[in-house]
Each structure stands twice: as structure tokens, then as C-alpha cells.
Amino acid sequence: MTAVLLIEDDDRIRLSLVLALEDEGYAAHAVATAEEGLIEQRRVGADTVLIDLMLPGMDGFECIRQLRRTDDVPIVVISARDDTHDIVAALEAGADDYLIKPVAVKELAARLRALRRRSRTADAPALRILTFGDLELRPEAGEVRLHGAEVPVTRTEFQLLCELDDHAGQVLSREQLLQRVWGYDIGDERLVDVHVGRLRHKIEDTPGKPRHLVTVRGLGYKLQP
Amino acid sequence: MTAVLLIEDDDRIRLSLVLALEDEGYAAHAVATAEEGLIEQRRVGADTVLIDLMLPGMDGFECIRQLRRTDDVPIVVISARDDTHDIVAALEAGADDYLIKPVAVKELAARLRALRRRSRTADAPALRILTFGDLELRPEAGEVRLHGAEVPVTRTEFQLLCELDDHAGQVLSREQLLQRVWGYDIGDERLVDVHVGRLRHKIEDTPGKPRHLVTVRGLGYKLQP
DNA sequence: TCTCGGCATGACGATTTCATGACAAGACTG
DNA sequence: CAGTCTTGTCATGAAATCGTCATGCCGAGA
């Protein structure tokens, strides 16, 4: 059974939501403040956290941020405030979904199922530093290194490389690359060739024999893992 | 850049959403019908699909179900209908989120970011590998391996192999293969023979005794599981 | 065994697909 | 404002690939 932790200060809503969730087959557990919620989640480790934004003491936003420091648990906000600004802030703080009170329990249950479907895996990815043999890509730093030495690449080249990197090992068609790097719907696909060529000059040692950025004839290009 | 596919029949909404998404830094691409959407997603493979529910022809629910049969892409519904029943049905069909028109673009963008944050970890190692004894087929990588070593294969050969693979174990007639790989309605069936022959040179070790790509006299070819 | 239709295969010209160098129009910098 | 960097377009040539055809083989049924 799925364990849900509800953080909500209003007694009536808290009680009715717990009952409704139990009806839907969840093991629901509720507390009234953000502080209790943090402790409880650390202790119990529910599969999903439901949280109100307006809480006495620590507010919902801060609670979400603190949860997110240590926990990748799916978080759904349930709030009376329907302001776009609040919604964006909550999602940016680390929430996964935002429902406006009064909530339809069926909808809540469906959203919880959808979210759970999506959150199957647990491990959080570390800072990405991707290595392909002697080629290093640091997306956050905007750096490309070959044999440890930084290689100057232009913005377009870098984006192209990142796009290929995001799908390392997969073939991306010129069309896909045009769409993703340039934002074109249609356009001259030779443009991709030209940039791939330029990139190769910089990141391949042996001309004519690309080891990283290989072309798959008739399909596109890919970055060799 | 993140590629988004929008499926929306209303011209005004479609255009304004595309522009708004591009402002937010997405590579947006739009079609007007569910049927086009399915084709487009198979062709281009966006990172996220936005879809309206009320569409001419195939409706949004069915489109979501069909997408989900082959694709794990995040799907966000954007609909004018605010009925709980519709929301639940869409989420159950496989959607990840549901927004009610008119949508606040900032909220949409925030939800897309949240969804992407959530999906990224899950679908990282999604490279399919299909194995037939010593023969390996990696559709996304555009690779064919025999005894672990990569075999260079042309596009048509690769498509032919994928098609046979999709129906592994069952016989496909030359006519079916012509239709599926070449798109011909009619044509010279010898063409299939020639390509099967070329493919065999590459993926069979013992000439004259095909172990993977078997011909069924009078019927067609099949890939032996 | 003979015959015949289905199948395999090698060759070849036509076409497609790629790589690359050159160039001009911006963008950026000092 | 001049010089440099970046970017998109184009032309060209090389190489890989495609579809067709002709030829010959092989298996199944008589």
C-alpha cells in the first residue's frame, strides 16, 4: 500500500482528506505543521507528501525546499490560493503538482497515480560530468575538454554537442537536431553537417576517423559512448 | 533545448502557444490533429507532448493511449473541459498533467520544468537491445552487432531488419515488406530478395545456411527468434 | 530423374548522401 | 570603427547506396 503524508493545519480538511485517501486505498498519515511534517517524513519516509502552503510557523514553500534537500519524494501542493505566482513558486521550490482547494478526491487520486507512475526510480543524479574516453563534457560549466585540455567551442557547437550528449549512444536525425538546437521546423539539413564538421575538427584527433561524433549514414549522427 | 510537440486544432491557440513556448526557451512544433501528432512524434521524438482533448477525428484520450503504447514521453493535457471525470480519464489514459484553458504560460512552463525534472532520472537508460542469439539489434543506436562486434548496415537494410524484428518469428511476405519498408503499394518483389541477400552476407556466418534471416519458400521471410 | 517456378547472387549505372572549403553577412569586442 | 569571431549558404567532389537486370541454382512435385 502506498503511504501518504499530509501536512495541513485545518483540522476539518485534514480529517476529511485522510478519510478520503484511505477510501482510495492509501495509508494516510497527517500532521498539522511543516516542522512536524519534516520530522515525520524523516522518520517514516512516505511515498508521497501532500502539503498545504499556508501553515502556521514555517510555510509550505520553505518546507518543500527543506524536504528537497534530502528527499526526492513526490510532493503535491494542495492550496486555496490559485495565483499563478504561487503555483510557479511552489513548483520551482520542488513540488511536482499543485491542486487548488477544494480538491476532487478522484482527481487527487488520479494525479497521485500519475505521479507515482513517473517517479518509479529513486536515485538522484549527481552533477553531470560526462566522459567519452578522452572527451569530457561539463554542461553546467559550458566546457569541453579533450585530453584534459579545454577546447574552445562556439555556442552552437556546444548546444549541438549537449543535445547529442543528452541522447548519448542514440542516433539523432538532422531533422531532430535542427529542431532541438536551432528551433527550426524545417530548414536546410546541410547546416547540421557543416557544424558537425566544425565540431569534429575540434574534438577528434584523427581526421577522417571520428571516434566520438560518428555519422550513421542515412539516419543522422550520434555520440559514441 | 527541449523539444515540445503541441497537438491542438484551434489555429489561434496553437499559434499563440507555440510563440509563448518559444519565448520560454522551448523548441516548439505544432500539429492540428491527433493522427498527425502520432506520426510527428514517431518522426521527431519530442521531449514533451502537449495535447488538447477535443480534436477532430481521433480524440485526445485515444491519442494518449496510442502514444503510450510505444513512448514514455511526458504528456500534458491542455483542455477547456474542467470536469473531474475528464481529468481522471486523461490521467488514467497515461497523461502526466492536466491544465485547464486558458492556461497561464508561466504556470505551463513551471509544470513542464517540474515534469522534466521528474522524468529525467527515470528514462535515462532506455536503450532497447534486442537479441537473437549472437545477433543484437539496437534500434535507437542504429546499430547491429554480431558476436558483439558492430556490423555496418545501410539504412534500408536496417529498416528491413527492424521490420522483421517487430514481427520476430512470423513470416512477412515480400509484399508486406515492400509496403512497410519502402512504402510501395506495388513494386518489384525481387527488390526484397536483393536486400535480404545483402543483409545475410553481413549477419550470417555460414553462407547458404541462414540461421537468423530465414526464407519461407512461397511465403516470404522471417527472423528466427 | 526431369521440369519449372521461386529464389540467390553478382554486376552496373544512376542516384543519394556526406564532407569540406570558400564566402559573405551579421555579431561581438576593444 | 576596424578587426575578429561566428554563422548560414553554396558548390563541388568523393563515396556509399539503391534499384534493376541477367544469370544460374535449388527444391518440390510429377
Side-chain angles (χ1 to χ4, degrees):
Chain A
M1 195 188 305
T2 312
V4 173
L5 172 63
L6 171 63
I7 309 175
E8 162 69 64
D9 62 322
D10 184 308
D11 293 345
R12 291 238 311 279
I13 297 178
R14 189 171 65 243
L15 187 57
S16 69
L17 263 181
V18 166
L19 292 177
L21 284 166
E22 285 176 348
D23 269 357
E24 290 289 330
Y26 291 93
H29 183 66
V31 298
T33 67
E35 289 83 355
E36 288 175 275
L38 290 175
I39 295 169
E40 202 57 23
Q41 176 59 13
R42 188 162 305 161
R43 197 171 62 84
V44 172
D47 301 303
T48 308
V49 172
L50 303 184
I51 184 170
D52 188 13
L53 284 185
M54 284 179 293
L55 295 166
M58 184 191 301
D59 73 4
F61 298 107
E62 184 55 27
C63 183
I64 293 171
R65 272 187 285 271
Q66 295 220 11
L67 271 174
R68 271 286 170 270
R69 283 195 203 137
T70 57
D71 202 331
D72 196 43
V73 64
I75 299 176
V76 176
V77 171
I78 296 182
S79 166
R81 308 173 65 161
D82 64 352
D83 190 61
T84 297
H85 186 264
D86 285 329
I87 300 178
V88 172
L91 294 172
E92 290 300 322
D96 291 289
D97 204 344
Y98 191 112
L99 283 160
I100 293 162
K101 291 181 191 172
V103 299
V105 177
K106 292 290 178 195
E107 176 179 350
L108 173 57
R111 283 184 180 269
L112 288 181
R113 278 194 295 275
L115 188 51
R116 242 187 114 47
R117 201 168 57 211
R118 198 37 95 188
S119 321
R120 226 39 80 91
T121 60
D123 303 311
L127 187 73
R128 287 193 306 168
I129 297 180
L130 294 151
T131 313
F132 302 90
D134 48 10
L135 181 70
E136 263 179 56
L137 191 55
R138 311 187 179 191
E140 284 76 10
E143 271 181 14
V144 180
R145 286 169 179 274
L146 186 64
H147 302 301
E150 185 169 356
V151 178
V153 292
T154 71
R155 192 160 41 93
T156 333
E157 286 162 7
F158 187 71
Q159 283 185 31
L160 178 60
L161 200 50
C162 284
E163 213 51 62
L164 286 162
D165 164 289
D166 271 351
H167 304 84
Q170 297 185 34
V171 181
L172 292 177
S173 68
R174 287 153 224 276
E175 196 178 354
Q176 284 176 308
L177 290 169
L178 265 183
Q179 163 96 31
R180 287 158 182 271
V181 176
W182 284 267
Y184 292 2
D185 276 3
I186 54 160
D188 189 358
E189 304 197 333
R190 298 287 121 250
L191 178 56
V192 179
D193 297 25
V194 173
H195 276 88
V196 165
R198 287 173 181 157
L199 207 36
R200 287 216 257 240
H201 268 121
K202 300 183 179 180
I203 64 171
E204 303 283 3
D205 326 83
T206 49
K209 290 275 176 197
R211 294 188 305 118
H212 304 113
L213 214 174
V214 301
T215 129
V216 182
R217 189 166 245 271
L219 295 178
Y221 297 97
K222 71 175 172 183
L223 204 56
Q224 201 73 269
Chain B
M1 196 185 305
T2 311
V4 173
L5 173 63
L6 170 63
I7 309 176
E8 161 70 61
D9 61 323
D10 185 308
D11 293 344
R12 292 238 312 277
I13 298 178
R14 189 172 64 242
L15 188 57
S16 69
L17 264 181
V18 165
L19 292 177
L21 285 166
E22 285 176 349
D23 271 355
E24 292 289 330
Y26 292 94
H29 183 64
V31 297
T33 68
E35 290 83 354
E36 288 175 275
L38 291 173
I39 295 170
E40 204 56 24
Q41 177 57 14
R42 174 172 286 189
R43 199 167 62 88
V44 141
D47 300 303
T48 308
V49 173
L50 302 184
I51 184 171
D52 188 14
L53 284 185
M54 284 180 292
L55 294 167
M58 183 192 302
D59 72 6
F61 297 108
E62 182 56 26
C63 185
I64 293 171
R65 271 187 287 272
Q66 296 219 12
L67 270 174
R68 271 287 169 271
R69 277 163 47 189
T70 57
D71 203 331
D72 195 44
V73 64
I75 300 176
V76 175
V77 172
I78 296 182
S79 168
R81 308 171 67 161
D82 64 352
D83 192 62
T84 296
H85 185 264
D86 284 330
I87 299 178
V88 172
L91 294 171
E92 291 300 322
D96 290 289
D97 204 343
Y98 190 111
L99 283 161
I100 293 161
K101 290 182 191 171
V103 299
V105 177
K106 293 289 177 195
E107 175 179 350
L108 173 58
R111 284 184 179 270
L112 289 180
R113 278 193 296 275
L115 189 51
R116 205 158 156 60
R117 196 171 57 214
R118 187 51 82 186
S119 318
R120 180 157 1 207
T121 54
D123 66 358
L127 277 175
R128 285 184 295 163
I129 300 181
L130 303 153
T131 311
F132 302 88
D134 49 10
L135 182 69
E136 276 180 14
L137 192 54
R138 311 186 180 192
E140 287 85 329
E143 271 181 17
V144 179
R145 286 168 179 273
L146 187 64
H147 303 302
E150 185 168 355
V151 178
V153 168
T154 73
R155 182 180 38 171
T156 353
E157 286 161 8
F158 187 71
Q159 285 177 2
L160 179 59
L161 201 49
C162 286
E163 209 51 59
L164 286 162
D165 165 285
D166 274 351
H167 305 83
Q170 44 179 301
V171 182
L172 290 177
S173 69
R174 287 153 225 276
E175 196 180 348
Q176 285 175 306
L177 289 168
L178 266 182
Q179 168 78 42
R180 289 160 184 274
V181 176
W182 283 267
Y184 293 1
D185 277 356
I186 57 162
D188 189 358
E189 304 198 334
R190 297 289 120 248
L191 179 56
V192 180
D193 297 23
V194 174
H195 276 89
V196 166
R198 299 212 245 250
L199 206 37
R200 287 215 258 241
H201 267 123
K202 300 182 179 178
I203 64 171
E204 303 284 4
D205 328 80
T206 49
K209 289 277 176 197
R211 294 188 305 119
H212 304 114
L213 216 173
V214 186
T215 132
V216 182
R217 201 182 170 80
L219 295 178
Y221 298 97
K222 71 173 174 181
L223 201 56
Q224 203 74 266

